[in-house]
Amino acid sequence: MYTQALNSSDGEDRHVEDAARAAQFQARIDAEERIEPNDWMPPAYRKTLTRQISQHAHSEIVGMLPEGNWITRAPSLRRKAALLAKVQDECGHGLYLYAAAETLGSSREELVDAMLAGKAKYSSIFNYPTLTWADIGTIGWLVDGAAIMNQIPLCRCSYGPYARAMIRVCKEESFHQRQGFEIMLTLCRGTDEQKAMAQDALNRWWWPVLMMFGPPDQASQHSDTSTKWKIKRFSNDELRQKFVDATVPQAQFLGLTIPDPAMKQNEAGNWEYSAIDWEEFKQVLAGNGPCNRDRMAARRKAHEDGAWVREAAMAYAAKRRQRAALQAAE
């Protein structure tokens, strides 16, 4: 009986201590202080960040595939070089983000294995095909434009490594967005066939891009806690509306038509859009999108083909450690 009472007392003390730590943690968040890897944080905060940052990293890596599809088919050497540089940038973004996620206690191998096993998600937008060169322009203009809208607030994320990684990512994504818009502008000022190709790409990508911001606020599972911890600064619907309001004038400048006949501007100046087909979003997330299987097959093949590189790097690192140990012993 005495032991039971002692254990119960210890449990209550730990609960009180954890509650006090959680209150101090939230006070730091409310004061706009940055949380760093060695700081105490609630397990749920660590788990939420690991999920978000790793999914972001996976999206950057998988996002190389639809654009890489056009590197050898770009219409000019200039376009080829620019697209090659952009795909390389996306790879770099993935590496920054994996490094940030590792500071939370999960190894890069664990994160990648979870994605390859289908246990971790990546952005639904990369499960759509790039059928024409105009799709590359549309990805830069719309997909990267939506990413910027999502990511600029992350530069003020409460978790330091994530916020710092996003500063460089956003600078490069802004360049990608301008690059994509320039491709669309060139097409729209070209032949009738080129402008029609640009319109067709916009028609196919518009609604999937709006889905990129995530489900509506009332259906979002993580928004409340992410906002409380200042991981997120705006809700999904707020960011989606900001994107629509910024993009409609750009489409008008290009002479393209947003594929939403019911869209109208309200008295406040915001563009009201039609209901989004969230069933399509759910199906893509469930693995039933146009390219889900192709994307995962490509990533698994790349991972398997790169096994010898990882093994060689580990063997080299082991030899260096062994040599350093011998020198220290001497």
Side-chain angles (χ1 to χ4, degrees):
M1 291 292 292
Y2 174 76
T3 303
Q4 277 186 325
L6 189 61
N7 289 339
S8 176
S9 176
D10 289 344
E12 288 176 5
D13 289 344
R14 281 195 298 270
H15 179 73
V16 170
E17 183 180 347
D18 288 346
R21 278 183 162 183
Q24 291 172 353
F25 175 83
Q26 189 60 50
R28 291 187 62 194
I29 297 288
D30 294 340
E32 298 288 347
E33 291 185 28
R34 285 275 170 82
I35 306 301
E36 299 297 339
N38 291 331
D39 294 340
W40 184 90
M41 62 188 75
Y45 179 81
R46 187 184 301 275
K47 181 179 179 180
T48 297
L49 275 168
T50 301
R51 174 189 58 78
Q52 180 171 328
I53 300 173
S54 65
Q55 288 184 6
H56 193 165
H58 301 330
S59 299
E60 297 285 355
I61 298 300
V62 176
M64 298 163 61
L65 297 174
E67 292 182 298
N69 180 42
W70 276 89
I71 290 174
T72 58
R73 297 184 288 164
S76 70
L77 181 59
R78 171 176 168 265
R79 296 295 190 192
K80 188 189 299 288
L83 182 57
L84 188 61
K86 184 189 178 192
V87 171
Q88 185 176 353
D89 284 348
E90 307 297 2
C91 180
H93 298 171
L95 298 182
Y96 306 152
L97 292 163
Y98 282 132
E102 285 182 308
T103 65
L104 292 160
S106 296
S107 71
R108 189 169 310 193
E109 291 75 18
E110 290 173 324
L111 299 173
V112 172
D113 286 347
M115 190 266 287
L116 295 176
K119 297 177 182 177
K121 304 294 185 183
Y122 56 87
S123 179
S124 61
I125 195 67
F126 299 119
N127 289 311
Y128 290 86
T130 44
L131 304 179
T132 70
W133 175 250
D135 289 39
I136 302 303
T138 304
I139 287 175
W141 172 37
L142 296 184
V143 175
D144 292 331
I148 293 165
M149 199 66 69
N150 258 321
Q151 293 170 7
I152 285 178
L154 290 174
C155 295
R156 297 187 292 126
C157 170
S158 60
Y159 188 59
Y162 193 20
R164 289 188 288 273
M166 293 314 304
I167 292 173
R168 179 167 181 176
V169 170
C170 285
K171 287 180 179 178
E172 293 178 352
E173 292 289 9
S174 295
F175 182 78
H176 298 165
Q177 195 270 346
R178 291 194 296 274
Q179 185 183 62
F181 186 81
E182 192 269 335
I183 291 174
M184 297 300 282
L185 184 61
T186 301
L187 291 172
C188 290
R189 290 180 175 176
T191 65
D192 291 343
E193 289 81 3
Q194 287 174 321
K195 186 170 183 180
M197 185 168 64
Q199 182 66 61
D200 174 67
L202 172 58
N203 293 346
R204 287 183 287 106
W205 286 90
W206 176 253
W207 293 107
V209 167
L210 293 193
M211 297 174 196
M212 277 180 68
F213 294 94
D217 294 344
Q218 63 269 24
S220 179
Q221 299 178 10
H222 307 289
S223 286
D224 288 346
T225 51
S226 292
T227 301
K228 174 186 174 184
W229 286 327
K230 298 190 177 180
I231 298 171
K232 290 181 65 172
R233 298 282 177 160
F234 299 96
S235 72
N236 296 348
D237 287 336
E238 286 174 325
L239 290 170
R240 192 169 9 250
Q241 187 64 58
K242 282 175 175 282
F243 171 77
V244 171
D245 290 342
T247 305
V248 171
Q250 295 170 1
Q252 292 172 337
F253 179 82
L254 292 170
L256 298 177
T257 303
I258 299 292
D260 184 358
M263 178 176 276
K264 61 182 180 180
Q265 196 169 24
N266 60 28
E267 294 179 357
N270 301 123
W271 287 92
E272 298 177 358
Y273 50 90
S274 301
I276 296 171
D277 180 5
W278 290 111
E279 183 56 35
E280 177 183 339
F281 179 71
K282 291 176 184 176
Q283 286 299 316
V284 174
L285 284 186
N288 301 318
C291 298
N292 286 69
R293 292 171 181 80
D294 291 342
R295 300 289 184 249
M296 290 305 298
R299 286 308 310 147
R300 291 188 182 110
K301 183 178 185 302
H303 191 71
E304 291 168 4
D305 290 348
W308 71 272
V309 179
R310 296 190 297 275
E311 291 167 5
M314 290 176 67
Y316 177 71
K319 280 190 175 181
R320 290 199 63 174
R321 287 194 298 270
Q322 186 180 33
R323 189 178 299 120
L326 288 173
Q327 290 175 347
E330 292 174 359

